[in-house]
Structures are given as structure tokens and as C-alpha cells.
Amino acid sequence: MDLHYSDDDLAFRHAVRAFVAAELPEDLRAKVINHLRLDKDDYVRWHRILARQGWAAPGWPSAYGGPGWTPVQRHIFEEECARAGTPPVLPFGVNMVAPVIMAFGSEQQKDYYLPRILSCEDWWCQGYSEPGAGSDLASLKTSAVRGADADGEHYIVNGQKTWTTLAQYADMIFCLVRTDPGVRKQEGISFLLIDMHSPGVTVRPIVMLDEDHEVNEVFFDNVRVPAANLVGEENKGWTYAKYLLGHERTGIAAVGRSKRELARLKRLALREHKDGRPLLYDQLFAAKVADLEIELMALETTVLRVLARADQAPGPEASVLKVRGTEIQQRLTELMVEAAGPLALPFDPAYLSGAADHSVIGDDDAAPLLAHYFNYRKTSIYGGSNEIQRNIIAQMILGL
């Protein structure tokens, strides 16, 4: 694999960098760079800026409205967006349910949902985890019973999903539901698209340690879903779920964002001093930073190898990316808190939410670091916990 960028790739990087510099609103950049909280309008505004350029779905083929980029171009685009501090394009629609619809959905589903995902007309959330069915997702109990009446064929859905990210804003949820309780648990699951505005859908907030409302419980009480909203075949949802999770785990690696955060860590360590010298020059701390940077370089090479297999869906190697990517992200937050020391300890929700221009401690760089550290404890859990990913690696890659 040639790791040198071609002249065309370098020209593409220049074009992306120029576009982002011209189009990224400064208030959005400041929120992202400083680890402040983003709201729905922030995400939608940046998504629609990209959509006008035709860049909202970097991984989509041109046949479905995507730019038709090569894997290297996608990597460059994501790296430049991360470097500049753009809000992320939320993955639930663009990177998760859309590939499933493209691969397994009906033509009617493709024609209806894909343009609405591209334009951000529909905000999607993910209905996978349940109480008692997180990493052991196949144990899910939310049921969908098929029936028919004068209004047509439909499913009646009952159950609960939890840890549903940003469901308070969602128009649609893609759900794994149990349609056959009498077979092996992986074989009785289906993949349904459910309107969040349907009667019987209730969203209850889960407020986290940092007082942010990011995740939710979602309850389904006799929710009627048209049978046309079934993706693919009934009871084949586990196959589609694994396909989706491969895409999710590849994106979770977040190499570009980690490179930006590594640069931030170095700036912070240059600012802070130990024994009269910048902390970054302390041998022990410098060794920690160097070790992390080497791990990140290795991860980037592995991501490029996976992306180069453009003719194949992500396989078990996506689990490697998920494990190493999330470990690096967490380690970055740990070293930032270590570098800032006691200045990272005060909790300032007014500053984090944008209600105050500056932090109460007078150090705007340090103020968000501990909340950011706690929030990133989740990365080794979502998308399938890292312990489960190690089992996948052992079985499917190492043959153990």
C-alpha cells in the first residue's frame, strides 16, 4: 500500500481546506475546538452547509447523491474537517441506517429516505440497546407482532430502548425488534424504521454526570408501524445489524479528531510548567505523549488499509479500529486532565452550555477538560463494548 498522497489527492486536500475555511461559521468552530456543547441547530446548520456543496455523505456513491469519493478522499475530507473543528455529521442517518437501506432496503425506501437523510430533513436515532441487552444485543425483548386490518399490513411494537443518543430531536428511529420469539435469539430479529412522532412513542431523558441531556430512554406502547417499514426480510435483522455495526465501528476510530486533540494536548503541555520548564519537556510526560502519537500513527495506517478495500463491507477488522481508536481517544482526555492539573477540576455548566462567555476559574482551556474526560468514558462501551470486540478479534481474526 502506497502511503504517499498523489498530486490529485493533495489538490483535493487543498480544495477541502479552502472550502471549510470559507464556510465553517466561527461560532461552531469555537464550540468544537473548546469542547463546548453543541445543540440541534449547530449540527443541522453544518450538515446543510455540506449538503449544498454535495458533501454531506462522503461515503455515499454518486448514484444515491453522494460525491462518489475514493477511500483516500474520504479520509482526507474527514481529516480536514476534524483539523478545522467542524461539528460532526451525525452518523445515525448518513453512516448507519443509510448503508443498510442501500444494501437491503426496497426501492421505495431508498427513494423516500435517502434524499431526506442527505438534506437533514429527517433526524435519525438508533434503537438497539435495551435494559439487559447492551453488549449482548441479541437478547433484546422489544417485540413487533405482524397483523393486518382495513388500513393494511402493520406491526404493533412494544418495549423499551435505552441510551438512545439525541432521541429528543429525532424524527425517525431504526430499531431492532423481536418478530419471532420461538427461535434461536439471533434468528428472530427484524430491522424496522419507526416514526418517532407515532402515537405510543415516549422519550424520557437520561441526564448524565455532566448535567448534559445527550441520551434517552425510548418506550413503545402499542406503536403501529406500517409493514412497508420493514427493511429486507423478516427475521434477518441480525445480519443487517452486523452490517451496520461494521460501518459504525470504522467511524468510531475518529483518527482526524484524535490528531486534532493530540495537537491540543501538546499546546496545553507547552503552556503548563513543571520545575520551571514546559511540561512537554518533562521526560516522563513527553514519553507518554510520544507513545500515544505512535499508536495514533499506527491506527491511521490500519484505517487506510480498511478503507482501501472499497469493494467490501467492513469486516472483523472494524473491531480492531473500534478498540484502538476509543482507547486512544480516552488516553488523550486523560493526559489533558493530567496536564491541566487542579485547573481541570471545577465544573462549570454555564460555560459549557454557552450561557457564560468565560469560565468561573478564568482558564477557558482547562474548564471543559474534566467533563470531556468523563463523557469519553462511554467510547469503549457504545458500538459494542471493547470486551466484546476483543472476543470478535480472537474468534474471527486470530481463529482462537
Side-chain angles (χ1 to χ4, degrees), residues 223-244:
V223 176
R224 181 189 175 100
V225 180
N229 286 26
L230 173 72
V231 174
E233 298 179 48
E234 193 171 274
N235 298 327
K236 298 295 184 181
W238 192 247
T239 298
Y240 312 149
K242 290 189 293 183
Y243 181 87
L244 182 150

Side-chain angles (χ1 to χ4, degrees), residues 4 9 18 21 61-62 96 107 129 135 159 166 171 177 193 220 245 265-266 276 337 339 352 359 364 391:
H4 295 91
D9 291 332
S62 54
M96 295 169 72
E107 291 304 313
S129 294
S135 294
L166 301 177
D171 304 295
V177 295
L193 312 178
F220 303 94
L245 286 169
L265 169 62
K266 290 179 178 180
V337 170
L352 295 178
S359 67
D364 293 350
N391 287 341

